[in-house]
Structures are given as structure tokens and as C-alpha cells.
Amino acid sequence: MTDIIATINQAVERYKACHNFTHWRPRAALIDMDGVLYDSMPRHAAAWRRMMMEAGIDIPEEEFFLYEGMTGEATINLLFNRHLGRSATPEEVKVLYGRKSEYFKAFGDRIPMRGADLMLDILMKAHIRRILVTGSAQASLLDALNHDYPGAFDAAGRVTAHDVKHGKPAPEPYLRGLELAGCLPSEAFVIENAPLGVKAGHAAGCLTVAVATGPIPEKVLAESGADIVFPSMHDFACNVRYLIDNE
């Protein structure tokens, strides 16, 4: 236990020194959805691959984990430009993302991430404001948040793909999250699981926590800008009190 407390303290001190902050006292947590609140990325990757194969683009499922956090439109255009030499039309984006969403729903029930409920409960009891910051527009998950995590997120505390022009890795989603929370970067922290999301949190100036819930190595998350990396959401949940109580 002493080791993890020391690791957290060191991460906070490095963050403060990097940004020339004299203090860091969190009032809000800016929380990603896929791979953080839900163990949904394998289903997303499978749905993306099936849809893209129908569009004539064949890439492995694992590659889609690298695009997590981007909006659907940005992902489609990235792959269209890379493999077909052109951007998708707005109508193509609408049809293709709609098809991907249907495949995602057909792959089975949502699975809350182990440890996410404990983490949210601790944040709620500590009066840390919870802001959802996701690059997703997946209605089946967004609509389920109140059922799976009652009271954790209010309607005014959500940033989705519909709310930004530039998705992750741009800082806009997390800057928008800070606005909703009424916080400065020195008063919030980001919880992410993907390189693009980590880069977005870091670029927004927030202390960024990464949880390695998928196939992305912890080293890659650290190299993307994470201030501290936990091996699982459950491990982070068991230690989040040492972060929010950090002096």
C-alpha cells in the first residue's frame, strides 16, 4: 500500500512541476466511457471491422483499439483516405456509422467494467463532480448510463461526439468537460484507457490517469502522456481515494 501511495504522490508532483502549479486539489473527474465504464471495446472493434469490410476495407480488429476516442466520422474518413484515397460523403458517413451501431447492438448485452461502480461510488461520496467525456455517439450505451450507474452522471455533465468539432486526440472534448465542471485543469483529472484519449487529456492540461483495460500496453499509455497508469479499473478504484485525498 505504501508503494502505490508513493507512486501516486510522485505522479502528482511531476504533474505540478510540469505545469508550474503550486497545488492540485481535484474537484472534478472527467471520465471516458468505452473501456472505462463499459467493457465495450471488443464489441466496437468487431462492429467496426464488419462494417469496414463491407465498405471494401479489410484491417484487423486490434487496429480499431488505436482509434478509440475519435468520433465515428473521423474514424471513417481516416480509413477512407488511407485505403480508398478519398473522404467519405456525409451520406456515406451516416449510413456506415448507422450500420456499425446496429452491428454493435447485435453483438450482445453491455458489460459494465469491473471496478467502475466502486470508483464512481468513491467519487460521489467525496463530492467529486463526474463529467462524462466520450467520443462515442453510441445511443445504446449513453442511454444505459443512468440505469447502470444511477446518480453518477447528470444530464448537464456529458460531452459526446455530438458536442465537439474536433474529437480526441484534440483537447476540445476535455476542455469542454472542464467548462461543464466549472474547473481549471489544476482542479480536475482525466480517466482514460486509450492513447488518443490520454493525449487529449494531457493536451487539455489535466492530470491524466490511464487504466489498461484493453490490449494497449501500459508503456504505450505512459508514452502517450498518462501521468500514472493502473493495470485495471478495479486496481484504480481500490486506490482512487489516495489520488483525491492527495495534498
Short mmCIF file of all heavy atoms in Angstrom, two decimals, residues 129-132 146 153-159 163 176-177 179-182:
data_model
loop_
_atom_site.label_atom_id
_atom_site.label_comp_id
_atom_site.label_asym_id
_atom_site.label_seq_id
_atom_site.Cartn_x
_atom_site.Cartn_y
_atom_site.Cartn_z
N ARG A 129 -17.14 16.07 -8.71
CA ARG A 129 -18.09 16.16 -9.84
C ARG A 129 -17.67 15.18 -10.93
O ARG A 129 -16.50 15.12 -11.31
CB ARG A 129 -18.11 17.59 -10.39
CG ARG A 129 -19.03 17.78 -11.59
CD ARG A 129 -20.46 17.93 -11.17
NE ARG A 129 -21.38 17.89 -12.33
CZ ARG A 129 -21.66 18.91 -13.13
NH1 ARG A 129 -21.07 20.09 -12.92
NH2 ARG A 129 -22.52 18.78 -14.12
N ARG A 130 -18.61 14.41 -11.47
CA ARG A 130 -18.32 13.46 -12.53
C ARG A 130 -18.83 14.01 -13.86
O ARG A 130 -20.02 14.31 -13.99
CB ARG A 130 -18.98 12.10 -12.28
CG ARG A 130 -18.36 11.29 -11.14
CD ARG A 130 -18.89 11.67 -9.79
NE ARG A 130 -20.35 11.71 -9.78
CZ ARG A 130 -21.06 12.49 -8.95
NH1 ARG A 130 -20.45 13.28 -8.08
NH2 ARG A 130 -22.38 12.48 -8.99
N ILE A 131 -17.92 14.12 -14.82
CA ILE A 131 -18.26 14.58 -16.17
C ILE A 131 -17.91 13.47 -17.15
O ILE A 131 -16.76 13.03 -17.21
CB ILE A 131 -17.51 15.87 -16.54
CG1 ILE A 131 -17.78 16.98 -15.52
CG2 ILE A 131 -17.89 16.32 -17.95
CD1 ILE A 131 -19.20 17.50 -15.50
N LEU A 132 -18.88 13.03 -17.91
CA LEU A 132 -18.64 12.04 -18.96
C LEU A 132 -18.04 12.73 -20.17
O LEU A 132 -18.58 13.74 -20.64
CB LEU A 132 -19.95 11.35 -19.35
CG LEU A 132 -19.81 10.25 -20.40
CD1 LEU A 132 -19.27 8.98 -19.76
CD2 LEU A 132 -21.16 9.98 -21.07
N ASN A 146 -27.68 5.87 -16.83
CA ASN A 146 -28.45 6.13 -15.62
C ASN A 146 -28.91 4.83 -14.96
O ASN A 146 -29.05 4.77 -13.73
CB ASN A 146 -29.66 7.00 -15.93
CG ASN A 146 -29.27 8.44 -16.24
OD1 ASN A 146 -28.20 8.89 -15.86
ND2 ASN A 146 -30.14 9.15 -16.94
N PHE A 153 -23.96 10.44 -13.19
CA PHE A 153 -23.82 11.49 -14.21
C PHE A 153 -25.15 12.20 -14.39
O PHE A 153 -26.17 11.56 -14.67
CB PHE A 153 -23.37 10.90 -15.55
CG PHE A 153 -22.05 10.19 -15.49
CD1 PHE A 153 -21.99 8.81 -15.33
CD2 PHE A 153 -20.86 10.89 -15.58
CE1 PHE A 153 -20.79 8.15 -15.29
CE2 PHE A 153 -19.64 10.24 -15.53
CZ PHE A 153 -19.60 8.87 -15.37
N ASP A 154 -25.14 13.52 -14.26
CA ASP A 154 -26.37 14.25 -14.54
C ASP A 154 -26.42 14.64 -16.01
O ASP A 154 -25.41 14.57 -16.72
CB ASP A 154 -26.50 15.47 -13.63
CG ASP A 154 -25.36 16.46 -13.79
OD1 ASP A 154 -25.14 16.94 -14.92
OD2 ASP A 154 -24.68 16.76 -12.79
N ALA A 155 -27.58 15.04 -16.46
CA ALA A 155 -27.79 15.32 -17.88
C ALA A 155 -26.91 16.45 -18.39
O ALA A 155 -26.56 16.50 -19.57
CB ALA A 155 -29.26 15.64 -18.13
N ALA A 156 -26.54 17.37 -17.50
CA ALA A 156 -25.72 18.51 -17.91
C ALA A 156 -24.23 18.22 -17.83
O ALA A 156 -23.41 19.09 -18.12
CB ALA A 156 -26.05 19.72 -17.03
N GLY A 157 -23.88 17.00 -17.46
CA GLY A 157 -22.48 16.65 -17.27
C GLY A 157 -21.98 15.64 -18.27
O GLY A 157 -21.28 14.69 -17.88
N ARG A 158 -22.31 15.83 -19.55
CA ARG A 158 -21.89 14.88 -20.57
C ARG A 158 -21.36 15.59 -21.80
O ARG A 158 -21.97 16.55 -22.29
CB ARG A 158 -23.07 13.99 -21.01
CG ARG A 158 -23.67 13.15 -19.89
CD ARG A 158 -24.73 12.22 -20.44
NE ARG A 158 -25.33 11.41 -19.40
CZ ARG A 158 -26.14 10.38 -19.62
NH1 ARG A 158 -26.44 10.05 -20.88
NH2 ARG A 158 -26.66 9.70 -18.63
N VAL A 159 -20.23 15.13 -22.28
CA VAL A 159 -19.66 15.59 -23.55
C VAL A 159 -19.57 14.36 -24.45
O VAL A 159 -18.89 13.39 -24.10
CB VAL A 159 -18.27 16.21 -23.38
CG1 VAL A 159 -17.71 16.67 -24.73
CG2 VAL A 159 -18.31 17.37 -22.39
N ASP A 163 -21.09 16.96 -29.35
CA ASP A 163 -20.84 18.25 -28.69
C ASP A 163 -19.54 18.91 -29.08
O ASP A 163 -19.24 20.01 -28.59
CB ASP A 163 -20.85 18.05 -27.17
CG ASP A 163 -22.17 17.48 -26.67
OD1 ASP A 163 -23.22 18.01 -27.08
OD2 ASP A 163 -22.14 16.49 -25.92
N ARG A 176 -13.99 21.12 -23.01
CA ARG A 176 -15.44 21.27 -22.85
C ARG A 176 -15.88 20.67 -21.51
O ARG A 176 -16.73 21.24 -20.80
CB ARG A 176 -16.15 20.58 -24.01
CG ARG A 176 -17.67 20.58 -23.91
CD ARG A 176 -18.24 21.98 -23.95
NE ARG A 176 -19.69 21.95 -23.93
CZ ARG A 176 -20.45 22.89 -23.37
NH1 ARG A 176 -19.88 23.94 -22.80
NH2 ARG A 176 -21.76 22.80 -23.40
N GLY A 177 -15.30 19.54 -21.14
CA GLY A 177 -15.61 18.92 -19.85
C GLY A 177 -15.24 19.83 -18.69
O GLY A 177 -15.99 19.93 -17.71
N GLU A 179 -15.21 23.06 -18.76
CA GLU A 179 -16.21 24.13 -18.76
C GLU A 179 -17.48 23.68 -18.03
O GLU A 179 -18.03 24.42 -17.21
CB GLU A 179 -16.55 24.55 -20.19
CG GLU A 179 -15.45 25.27 -20.92
CD GLU A 179 -15.84 25.60 -22.35
OE1 GLU A 179 -17.01 25.33 -22.72
OE2 GLU A 179 -15.00 26.10 -23.10
N LEU A 180 -17.92 22.47 -18.34
CA LEU A 180 -19.13 21.96 -17.70
C LEU A 180 -18.94 21.80 -16.20
O LEU A 180 -19.87 22.02 -15.41
CB LEU A 180 -19.54 20.63 -18.32
CG LEU A 180 -19.99 20.64 -19.78
CD1 LEU A 180 -20.40 19.25 -20.22
CD2 LEU A 180 -21.15 21.63 -19.98
N ALA A 181 -17.74 21.41 -15.80
CA ALA A 181 -17.45 21.22 -14.37
C ALA A 181 -17.18 22.53 -13.66
O ALA A 181 -17.21 22.59 -12.42
CB ALA A 181 -16.25 20.29 -14.20
N GLY A 182 -16.91 23.59 -14.41
CA GLY A 182 -16.55 24.87 -13.81
C GLY A 182 -15.20 24.81 -13.13
O GLY A 182 -14.99 25.44 -12.09
#
